[in-house]
Amino acid sequence: MILAREVFGPLGGVVEIGAVNSTGTWDLADVSVGGFLARKRDEMSCLMAGIRSVCRFGDAEMAMADEVGWFRDYEVSAAHLLLWSGGLTGVPEPLEKMDEPAQVRRMCRTGADIQLTDLLQALITGAVAAGTEPHQGAPRIADILGIASNLADPTGRSTPALVFRMWRVAHLSPILRADSDAPVSGRAGFRAYDEALEELHSRRDGRHNLSP
């Protein structure tokens, strides 16, 4: 159940940020998460099916998607976006400036980078824990990441290639360091997924190109 939360948490951030970006105004009064999800129903269905497959989640784990509350209509606030963006943009003075479109857009850009990278980490962690063989799991993860990147920002700013590079720096490097407390088997699993994802460069392009 913990792994499911780790997957659906950042995915919720991706969906919320995508709903904000889809307005084109970055005015929170224009945002409808429910409307965004309705328009993206097919993509979400494919994405959820991919998560179930690669992480080998059962019904109980998949039910977490409803329990976390991010995949239904709700009112988006600037405070949500500040959390998704890790607080990196800071809290402006006066506080009301946080709702301004320029600030909202900046939080969305930062948040997309963070949440997509965290999603990739959670997917690989889930796949390694489930024992999904890398050359089977990596293409599925690439598909999920391609859909998620397009949900977050269909302009092409958030590409799977960029997310993969950020993941290597933010997550893979600490796992593989000599002083890491990750078990040997875990390190081997993550290294194998890194290699399998990179191999996709020779067979895929466009949104599925994960090679640096």
Side-chain angles (χ1 to χ4, degrees):
M1 298 298 259
I2 293 175
L3 285 176
R5 281 187 178 275
E6 290 179 352
V7 171
F8 295 129
L11 181 57
V14 166
V15 167
E16 182 172 313
I17 289 164
V20 177
N21 280 331
S22 71
T23 66
T25 65
W26 293 276
D27 185 337
L28 296 182
D30 296 337
V31 179
S32 171
V33 176
F36 181 75
L37 286 168
R39 295 192 301 274
K40 302 297 183 179
R41 184 177 293 110
D42 291 344
E43 291 95 327
M44 289 298 296
S45 294
C46 289
L47 192 151
M48 290 294 186
I51 290 171
R52 179 188 283 271
S53 174
V54 76
C55 296
R56 298 185 184 176
F57 285 164
D59 291 343
E61 286 82 7
M62 295 304 296
M64 289 296 300
D66 291 327
E67 293 178 21
V68 295
W70 299 119
F71 308 108
R72 60 176 72 115
D73 197 30
Y74 61 91
E75 184 176 348
V76 175
S77 70
H80 281 169
L81 296 174
L82 185 66
L83 288 173
W84 294 129
S85 60
L88 297 184
T89 59
V91 179
E93 292 289 346
L95 187 60
E96 290 73 20
K97 284 188 174 182
M98 196 158 65
D99 290 321
E100 292 181 355
Q103 180 75 2
V104 168
R105 186 177 186 181
R106 188 166 175 236
M107 288 190 290
C108 283
R109 287 181 167 179
T110 305
D113 290 344
I114 292 173
Q115 299 309 317
L116 286 166
T117 305
D118 286 352
L119 176 61
L120 179 55
Q121 169 66 9
L123 290 170
I124 296 175
T125 300
V128 171
T132 304
E133 202 276 332
H135 285 284
Q136 294 179 347
R140 297 172 189 166
I141 289 175
D143 288 338
I144 295 167
L145 192 59
I147 295 171
S149 297
N150 195 54
L151 287 174
D153 188 345
T155 66
R157 180 184 178 278
S158 298
T159 65
L162 173 63
V163 176
F164 181 57
R165 291 196 297 270
M166 290 190 296
W167 169 77
R168 276 179 156 175
V169 174
H171 293 284
L172 183 63
S173 179
I175 289 171
L176 299 183
R177 276 200 320 245
D179 60 349
S180 169
D181 59 2
V184 173
S185 59
R187 296 188 197 191
F190 275 91
R191 184 176 283 112
Y193 265 93
D194 173 54
E195 292 174 358
L197 286 166
E198 190 169 2
E199 284 178 11
L200 291 177
H201 176 54
S202 63
R203 305 195 304 273
R204 297 187 175 195
D205 56 19
R207 71 185 183 92
H208 295 311
N209 180 3
L210 296 186
S211 179

